Amino acid sequence: MENDDYQPLLRRRRNSNLRWTESQVLEFLELVLDLVKDVPESLEKPTAQKFYAKEMESGGATLELAY
């Protein structure tokens, strides 16, 4: 029994993608540089947004991420 009228539901984004400003990018890069300058091997490959949130929290950054 085939249904030729079937159309899959489209998923729509509620919020647009977050675009970081140039100043936010520079602030974050400075924060990461400060955190790893003494022990470079402590830097892990970023795999999730949680990594950034954790690093900013521990460094006291003022950036906010939209989840």
Side-chain angles (χ1 to χ4, degrees):
M1 184 174 201
E2 285 187 36
N3 186 356
D4 294 330
D5 297 331
Y6 174 75
Q7 292 181 352
L9 295 176
L10 297 177
R11 292 174 31 173
R12 301 196 188 273
R13 292 183 185 267
R14 291 185 193 165
N15 300 325
S16 63
N17 290 339
L18 174 68
R19 299 282 181 184
W20 287 24
T21 64
E22 188 70 24
S23 62
Q24 288 175 321
V25 171
L26 292 174
E27 181 181 349
F28 181 72
L29 290 176
E30 289 174 3
L31 173 66
V32 171
L33 180 63
D34 289 341
L35 290 172
V36 298
K37 66 182 174 187
D38 297 328
V39 188
E41 58 273 2
S42 69
L43 180 65
E44 298 176 9
K45 181 179 178 183
T47 56
Q49 198 172 39
K50 291 180 181 182
F51 168 81
Y52 299 108
K54 181 182 92 174
E55 293 300 324
M56 287 189 293
E57 207 174 88
S58 66
T62 58
L63 300 176
E64 292 184 18
L65 296 175
Y67 287 104

